[in-house]
Amino acid sequence: MEWETVIGLEIHAQLNTVSKIFSGAPTAYGAEPNRQACPVDLGMPGVLPVLNQGAVERAVMLGLAINAEITPRSVFARKNYFYPDLPKGYQISQFELPIVGLGHLDIELEDGTTKRIGVTRAHLEEDAGKSLHEGFEAMTGIDLNRAGTPLIEIVSEPELRSAKEAVAYMKKLHSLVRYLDICDGNMQEGSFRCDANVSIRPKGQTEFGTRAELKNLNSFRFVERAINFEVERQIDVIEGGGTVVQETRLYDPDRDETRSMRSKEEANDYRYFPDPDLLPLVVDSAFIETVREKLPELPDAKRARFVEQYGLSDYDAGVLTATREMGDFYEAVAAGCDAPKLAANWVMGEFSAALNRSEVELGEAPVNAEGLAGLLARIQDETISGKIAKEVFEAMWNGEGDADAVIEAKGLKQITDTGAIDAIIDEVMASNPKQLEQYRGGKDKLFGFFVGQVMKATQGKANPAQVNERLKAKLDG
Amino acid sequence: MSVDTSEVRRIAHLSRLAMNDDQARDFAGGLSDIFAFVEQLDGAAIEGVEPMAHPLDAEQRLRPDAVTEPDRRDAYQAIAPAVEGGLYLVPRVIE
Amino acid sequence: MAQETLSGWVRKLQAREISSRELTQLYLDRIERLDPQLNSFITVTAEQALAQADAADARLAQGEQTPLLGVPIAQKDIFCTEGVRTSCGSRMLDPFVSPYNATVVERMNAAGAVMLGKTNMDEFAMGSSNETSFYGPVRNPWDTERVPGGSSGGSAAAVGARLVPGATGTDTGGSIRQPAAFCGITGLKPTYGRVSRYGMIAFASSLDQGGPMAATAEDCGRMLNAMAGFDERDSTSVERPAEDFTAGLNQDLKGLRIGLPTEFFGEAGLDERVRGVIDAAIEVLKGRGAEVREVGLPNSHLSVPAYYVVAPAECSSNLARFDGVRYGYRCENPEDLMDLYTRSRGEGFGDEVKRRIMVGTYVLSAGYYDAYYLKAQKVRRIIADDFRRAFADVDVLLAPTTPELPFALGAKADPVSMYLSDIYTIAANLAGLPAMSLPAGEIDGLPVGLQLIGNYFDEARLLGVAHQYQQETDWHTRVPAAFA
């Protein structure tokens, strides 16, 4: 039987506010345990939550960016369950009336077509603390620094049909939250996390199959592998005559498998009800407009503009707008050298290769946009050839100075003086009489030999176009 | 409506309250009386009425995004039943 | 000495007729001598009180006149007090020394009040008799075989016996007014949102409201001036300009329209003798120029059932934080996490608290939410709408505070009969309206309370009506013989 995979993603993005969603404690990552947990985060008796405006603004930004409805009156609800990393015994979340309603996100498939994925909703909630199991005998340590960090949970429609689509959607959203600068996107630190609801059904069937919820998918690679594993598992179960049970499964990257989470077996009854400590959150059009003004240019719009403004291919524009930083970097380089296509080739080529090789982030690269633009300007004004430029770039990356300094120090300036080139050509012709005779006797292929000799004599610095032109004239003359 | 002991046990578990059989029996009686009493609500004329979650018809106020709480871990943990290395300790949680 | 009111002491302190230290010592002595009969205090903070008194004396010497400067008060043990045990009447919080102050405590400290200690209360404010306290029942100073009411029974008994001139209370379903009535004192539950709930341990968040308890309306107004005000730490705190709640005290009652809700004078268990006291009080007010008419609150009979869905629902969630992990009671040698939770909570909470947690858990659980919780929230609105209509025609509503006299300890063993002792007070909580109780008579040596319910934010008017009544009567000056 042919099976169809149905996937919906729930993505939790930590919002990058400086203080928590309901308290004035800091949110910075990596502090000593419980040093960033105030009475509100600790669930002390009598304390009360007050909502952070920064979290609301970021949620609205996301809503606008995915063309979603912003709920005029959204409501915070309590999700009740006991767990040691949940100090109050309930999580403040949104249930019936989330701040962001129905929206959508366009993802690009491998065949180059675009698919629109519905976003069911996105709601604000507080993060829980962390349980640490190592270092204690028979005990678990609880760190509540993360408790109360603002989260937005973005829920997709079950419209993703493969692990690859799921990854494309997740990457698109990841790029978007970083564009918006509402989340740092750091997956290792847990700032951007994903749960996947996965089910299968016979191709052509409209009802959904029973789904499993996969947890702990903290990298793009894990998402892909966990879903692929889970799909195979479900097919095996059904084809073996069994039925898939609705359950939560944990992905184990070491074994590359998903397994049932026994501790969550107990049927959950979260007893949601409106949080009486918080009033309805009213987001009016004035608030929305203020937020809209802060919106940066979004990835899709930027990509279209790059095609239009710089004459780039859609593919190149896509690569260069993958992150806001990359787009900004490219535009700075293009403006600095006044050669958008050359800039695109270099940013995607040499520059990106060097980043990968050195394993550094864009912001920490030893060659900045100004430096790269300076180099490309030297290609443009024919001070150096493209080939020599690679050598110069290498030196710049190694900290040997800017393009002009390197060219000067290494004497790499291109020879463009016709007299000087002619003199070298004469010399080459004189010292290779045999080849000259053969060439003139009709062996055209030897033209390349003479070019090579001239370039060799100039250590590659002769302007290639000029060499071609002068050589042709002299050989044929 | 009457509540039996197994129902009391289910609710007690959901509420994380230890309870022996005698207690469950006692609570079953009290809870049954309360639910029977509360059933008076069934006669209320509430067609089309908006639920009222708050006495005042007000909106949520927003706090500026600023850090206002200092680190007072020592004071907060001085009253904790079990801490080590700044962490609150509980019996091992199995995941 | 003990006859003097809180307002009287403020005047004497400011006239330097007595020092705060002398006054504080006087009340500390009374507590030491008399409280063993009542058990109205859980914690007495004598040393701290004397230090606060000395500080107040220094400020008085410099001519400062903050509203409660140097006046001894007591805090209900539901308000968090930094460095002082804050038990909420529960074994669960017996080990809890709060690391921070409630806003009410901060404000009263700023006003110069001297805290003598923390008063006893029903566990987590759940009770109407003060019999559910982990620290034992409080006794009524008018008859120590009877209950003082609850849940602010410690505050009411302490003020009634003049062990302190004023104390704070909290009122979720009548917990200020019913004990005030039972102990012969004046107590006010303000409009929901007037007094910050920050640091006031939550029972039912949408109903809880702190307020003053003292001998007179004037005292309550002074205390409320210090207690009330916008608090940015409480999202449900109302942002309104500061108000002087004593401003309307001398307003005469000519033309005042008083409504008598017929439902509160019906057959529903109202003691005829209580009714007689209320009728007499109505005559006093008429004599001062008030006009009286009947009004209807047709859904008020649904108040108690609606309350016993809404309040337990909120409490089941509010009390989930008491889990033995970060503070408070933790069971011995827990086997595993589930054991830690269920035994810490099973051993830390008393039966009434457990009962309400279970009712709340049940009404919120899957399949019951609509039938109970949502329905109760709708009933809540029709009850509030009844009041809205009534206040279109009248300025204040008048009713008995309780249907009967203070009852004997142990008299109300079944929960529902206990719940019905708040039958006249709960509706104001559901609607969020201000309401107060003041002493209006005595039957067989036991006090009877008169309840006034006002429109939203109309506390000053309520206090004014009460003060005018207290100009004509002396019930508020009476002190039980054993404590005179």
Side-chain angles (χ1 to χ4, degrees):
Chain A
M1 174 154 352
E2 227 188 311
W3 298 97
E4 182 176 50
T5 304
V6 176
I7 305 161
L9 296 187
E10 291 171 10
I11 289 175
H12 288 86
Q14 281 183 347
L15 299 174
N16 58 357
T17 52
V18 298
S19 65
K20 295 193 175 168
I21 183 166
F22 297 119
S23 83
T27 54
Y29 181 83
E32 271 185 55
N34 292 308
R35 289 217 180 271
Q36 296 188 158
C38 73
V40 172
D41 311 317
L42 295 171
M44 287 273 174
V47 297
L48 296 169
V50 184
L51 184 58
N52 183 338
Q53 174 159 359
V56 177
E57 285 169 356
R58 283 164 177 79
V60 171
M61 273 178 114
L62 177 88
L64 294 174
I66 59 168
N67 294 296
E69 302 151 20
I70 306 296
T71 311
R73 269 175 94 84
S74 65
V75 169
F76 285 93
R78 293 184 182 178
K79 179 181 183 180
N80 294 283
Y81 64 97
F82 287 90
Y83 207 69
D85 65 14
L86 189 73
K88 298 186 296 295
Y90 58 84
Q91 179 194 31
I92 305 178
S93 181
Q94 296 190 304
F95 186 52
E96 281 180 344
L97 291 167
I99 181 164
V100 175
L102 201 62
H104 59 79
L105 204 60
D106 291 339
I107 62 169
E108 204 167 304
L109 305 183
E110 277 183 320
D111 63 6
T113 59
T114 305
K115 180 174 176 182
R116 175 156 292 186
I117 305 298
V119 173
T120 317
R121 58 182 284 166
H123 63 257
L124 281 168
E125 61 185 24
E126 55 181 344
D127 209 342
K130 282 181 186 167
S131 302
L132 303 160
H133 307 292
E134 272 142 51
F136 302 104
E137 205 166 314
M139 300 296 264
T140 291
I142 307 297
D143 175 9
L144 298 171
N145 281 346
R146 196 179 69 176
T149 299
L151 287 178
I152 186 150
E153 178 176 336
I154 306 148
V155 182
S156 85
E157 293 282 309
E159 293 174 350
L160 299 158
R161 290 291 173 267
S162 69
K164 282 209 164 21
E165 285 188 21
V167 171
Y169 168 85
M170 192 176 166
K171 281 188 170 161
K172 187 71 185 267
L173 202 53
H174 186 253
S175 157
L176 183 63
V177 296
R178 294 177 66 204
Y179 251 89
L180 296 170
D181 193 22
I182 59 173
C183 168
D184 69 19
N186 191 325
M187 294 170 77
Q188 250 145 24
E189 292 176 2
S191 305
F192 191 85
R193 319 196 284 266
C194 178
D195 298 338
N197 289 308
V198 179
S199 64
I200 58 167
R201 63 182 172 190
K203 213 161 193 136
Q205 181 180 307
T206 46
E207 309 95 85
F208 294 121
T210 306
R211 65 193 160 89
E213 186 180 2
L214 308 185
K215 297 233 173 230
N216 195 28
L217 310 177
N218 53 11
S219 80
F220 296 120
R221 205 159 51 102
F222 290 173
V223 169
E224 183 162 358
R225 286 166 57 176
I227 292 172
N228 282 334
F229 173 87
E230 180 60 21
V231 168
E232 288 307 313
R233 188 190 70 85
Q234 291 186 9
I235 291 173
D236 287 350
V237 167
I238 295 173
E239 291 185 345
T243 49
V244 173
V245 273
Q246 184 164 343
E247 62 180 348
T248 302
R249 297 180 69 87
L250 194 70
Y251 177 65
D252 181 343
D254 297 331
R255 297 184 178 185
D256 190 22
E257 62 176 30
T258 66
R259 59 185 146 82
S260 188
M261 284 176 80
R262 280 165 209 281
S263 62
K264 301 247 170 170
E265 233 169 48
E266 183 187 323
N268 281 316
D269 187 340
Y270 291 124
R271 290 160 283 138
Y272 280 101
F273 75 108
D275 190 332
D277 288 331
L278 291 160
L279 299 165
L281 170 59
V282 174
V283 177
D284 59 17
S285 54
F287 187 94
I288 292 173
E289 287 319 307
T290 325
V291 173
R292 199 190 296 279
E293 281 165 20
K294 292 185 195 167
L295 276 186
E297 184 181 30
L298 298 176
D300 290 348
K302 188 173 291 232
R303 180 174 183 166
R305 179 169 65 80
F306 278 18
V307 170
E308 172 78 10
Q309 182 177 343
Y310 300 120
L312 304 181
S313 71
D314 186 54
Y315 176 81
D316 289 357
V319 173
L320 292 171
T321 55
T323 68
R324 190 168 163 184
E325 294 76 26
M326 185 58 96
D328 290 347
F329 183 84
Y330 165 70
E331 290 206 271
V333 175
C337 68
D338 203 21
K341 282 193 177 163
L342 181 68
N345 289 337
W346 270 80
V347 171
M348 292 188 296
E350 289 302 303
F351 184 79
S352 292
L355 282 181
N356 286 338
R357 221 173 22 247
S358 320
E359 293 180 345
V360 294
E361 294 294 318
L362 183 57
E364 302 149 8
V367 176
N368 62 17
E370 195 191 341
L372 184 57
L375 173 64
L376 302 188
R378 295 292 85 84
I379 299 176
Q380 276 297 99
D381 68 14
E382 301 190 335
T383 305
I384 53 171
S385 66
K387 201 172 164 207
I388 293 287
K390 292 182 182 177
E391 191 184 333
V392 177
F393 178 74
E394 194 74 28
M396 290 167 70
W397 193 268
N398 294 330
E400 293 173 34
D402 67 15
D404 290 334
V406 171
I407 292 166
E408 180 64 35
K410 296 191 182 249
L412 296 174
K413 194 168 173 354
Q414 188 160 262
I415 300 164
T416 50
D417 173 353
T418 313
I421 290 173
D422 278 356
I424 291 161
I425 290 173
D426 289 344
E427 209 173 292
V428 166
M429 283 166 69
S431 46
N432 293 286
K434 207 169 137 198
Q435 284 83 351
L436 184 62
E437 196 186 309
Q438 285 174 346
Y439 177 83
R440 288 192 170 149
K443 208 170 175 188
D444 292 352
K445 277 187 195 160
L446 280 170
F447 186 74
F449 165 78
F450 285 104
V451 172
Q453 290 300 309
V454 174
M455 294 311 278
K456 193 176 166 191
T458 60
Q459 290 152 328
K461 289 183 286 185
N463 180 305
Q466 269 178 304
V467 170
N468 276 349
E469 188 206 314
R470 293 308 303 156
L471 199 56
K472 190 122 188 102
K474 284 198 179 267
L475 289 172
D476 295 350
Chain B
M1 200 203 76
S2 116
V3 182
D4 62 19
T5 51
S6 71
E7 187 70 352
V8 169
R9 290 196 155 286
R10 185 186 72 84
I11 308 168
H13 176 70
L14 207 48
S15 312
R16 297 294 183 271
L17 294 169
M19 196 161 289
N20 63 32
D21 290 341
D22 286 347
Q23 290 169 314
R25 239 190 326 276
D26 285 352
F27 278 115
L31 292 181
S32 296
D33 289 350
I34 294 168
F35 288 121
F37 174 70
V38 158
E39 264 165 28
Q40 290 179 54
L41 294 176
D42 291 349
I46 48 168
E47 276 270 310
V49 173
E50 268 295 294
M52 178 170 159
H54 277 285
L56 304 174
D57 186 26
E59 297 169 8
Q60 179 59 37
R61 200 178 58 253
L62 299 176
R63 174 179 65 78
D65 179 23
V67 173
T68 52
E69 291 287 337
D71 167 25
R72 293 185 59 209
R73 186 178 80 178
D74 296 348
Y76 303 145
Q77 296 198 336
I79 51 170
V83 284
E84 197 178 308
L87 295 161
Y88 294 98
L89 293 187
V90 297
R92 163 120 24 218
V93 177
I94 306 136
E95 280 194 343
Chain C
M1 273 306 240
Q3 300 294 342
E4 189 55 274
T5 62
L6 180 138
S7 303
W9 287 128
V10 169
R11 285 186 278 271
K12 288 195 163 108
L13 283 161
Q14 279 171 6
R16 314 294 307 280
E17 290 170 28
I18 189 167
S19 72
S20 176
R21 177 172 259 273
E22 288 164 336
L23 189 57
T24 299
Q25 193 61 59
L26 181 144
Y27 280 108
L28 286 172
D29 290 347
R30 282 184 68 82
I31 292 168
E32 195 181 346
R33 185 159 52 88
L34 300 169
D35 198 45
Q37 298 171 58
L38 298 177
N39 194 30
S40 67
F41 278 83
I42 291 173
T43 305
V44 177
T45 50
E47 229 173 279
Q48 224 171 293
L50 290 169
Q52 272 187 320
D54 288 343
D57 282 329
R59 288 165 64 184
L60 282 161
Q62 288 175 347
E64 259 190 64
Q65 296 203 326
T66 46
L68 298 176
L69 191 53
V71 181
I73 55 99
Q75 294 285 359
K76 182 176 180 180
D77 209 17
I78 199 169
F79 289 100
C80 285
T81 41
E82 190 171 345
V84 176
R85 173 175 60 186
T86 301
S87 75
C88 224
S90 181
R91 181 185 194 189
M92 182 59 86
L93 288 181
D94 182 58
F96 180 68
V97 176
S98 177
Y100 77 102
N101 275 331
T103 298
V104 161
V105 173
E106 288 283 325
R107 292 184 66 98
M108 293 186 83
N109 283 347
V114 172
M115 184 180 87
L116 301 184
K118 310 289 297 284
T119 56
N120 204 343
M121 55 183 285
D122 277 302
E123 184 179 12
F124 284 101
M126 297 176 200
S128 305
S129 67
N130 229 296
E131 292 168 295
T132 72
S133 171
F134 173 63
Y135 301 91
V138 177
R139 287 163 186 275
N140 192 316
W142 295 88
D143 176 353
T144 54
E145 294 309 308
R146 292 176 189 268
V147 303
S151 66
S152 311
S155 289
V159 172
R162 303 299 191 260
L163 305 186
V164 66
T168 57
T170 60
D171 191 318
T172 305
S175 281
I176 286 176
R177 290 160 287 159
Q178 185 253 22
F182 277 12
C183 293
I185 64 163
T186 306
L188 169 68
K189 177 201 96 72
T191 307
Y192 182 84
R194 269 286 195 201
V195 172
S196 169
R197 294 187 298 113
Y198 189 80
M200 186 177 107
I201 299 175
F203 159 16
S205 312
S206 76
L207 301 162
D208 295 343
Q209 183 60 203
M213 303 175 80
T216 69
E218 184 189 1
D219 293 351
C220 287
R222 279 181 185 276
M223 283 180 69
L224 189 59
N225 279 348
M227 294 171 75
F230 171 66
D231 180 9
E232 59 184 19
R233 287 181 181 271
D234 176 0
S235 296
T236 61
S237 160
V238 290
E239 233 171 323
R240 291 172 72 91
E243 203 174 317
D244 177 4
F245 296 102
T246 62
L249 294 182
N250 296 316
Q251 182 74 44
D252 70 44
L253 302 186
K254 280 199 187 64
L256 179 83
R257 300 168 301 167
I258 296 178
L260 308 177
T262 46
E263 294 77 8
F264 287 10
F265 290 88
E267 291 150 46
L270 176 58
D271 185 320
E272 268 308 310
R273 299 169 298 172
V274 172
R275 167 148 206 169
V277 166
I278 302 304
D279 286 344
I282 292 168
E283 290 310 312
V284 171
L285 294 168
K286 276 186 183 165
R288 288 227 151 201
E291 297 163 15
V292 173
R293 63 185 79 167
E294 289 196 351
V295 296
L297 297 174
N299 294 295
S300 59
H301 65 289
L302 298 171
S303 302
V304 184
Y307 176 89
Y308 278 96
V309 171
V310 174
E314 294 183 9
C315 110
S316 70
S317 177
N318 283 334
L319 271 60
R321 68 188 59 200
F322 304 108
D323 58 6
V325 176
R326 298 165 313 284
Y327 50 79
Y329 179 79
R330 181 183 199 141
C331 67
E332 294 281 338
N333 304 316
E335 279 171 27
D336 56 24
L337 183 67
M338 186 59 82
D339 190 42
L340 168 74
Y341 281 155
T342 57
R343 276 206 294 128
S344 296
R345 291 167 60 79
E347 294 164 16
F349 292 138
D351 282 353
E352 182 59 24
V353 169
K354 289 182 197 171
R355 191 156 28 239
R356 296 200 197 186
I357 288 175
M358 286 195 284
V359 170
T361 299
Y362 187 83
V363 300
L364 290 176
S365 66
Y368 299 103
Y369 182 86
D370 288 4
Y372 289 99
Y373 184 75
L374 208 60
K375 188 179 287 172
Q377 294 286 54
K378 290 178 180 179
V379 168
R380 190 172 178 182
R381 186 169 303 278
I382 60 174
I383 289 168
D385 287 344
D386 281 355
F387 279 112
R388 221 175 290 277
R389 275 187 289 273
F391 282 116
D393 295 327
V394 300
D395 302 312
V396 297
L397 295 171
L398 184 152
T401 308
T402 64
E404 55 188 7
L405 296 171
F407 46 88
L409 272 94
K412 292 189 192 282
D414 85 286
V416 174
S417 74
M418 183 71 85
Y419 298 169
L420 287 170
S421 82
D422 290 330
I423 191 164
Y424 301 141
T425 48
I426 277 178
N429 297 85
L430 290 170
L433 294 165
M436 66 185 296
S437 179
L438 58 155
E442 253 179 55
I443 294 164
D444 297 342
L446 295 170
V448 176
L450 167 73
Q451 182 177 209
L452 298 172
I453 303 172
N455 209 340
Y456 296 101
F457 305 109
D458 221 2
E459 290 85 354
R461 191 200 309 252
L462 282 186
L463 289 165
V465 176
H467 182 73
Q468 291 300 306
Y469 177 80
Q470 290 178 340
Q471 297 309 293
E472 194 92 341
T473 58
D474 68 352
W475 305 109
H476 58 286
T477 66
R478 302 203 180 182
V479 180
F483 300 90

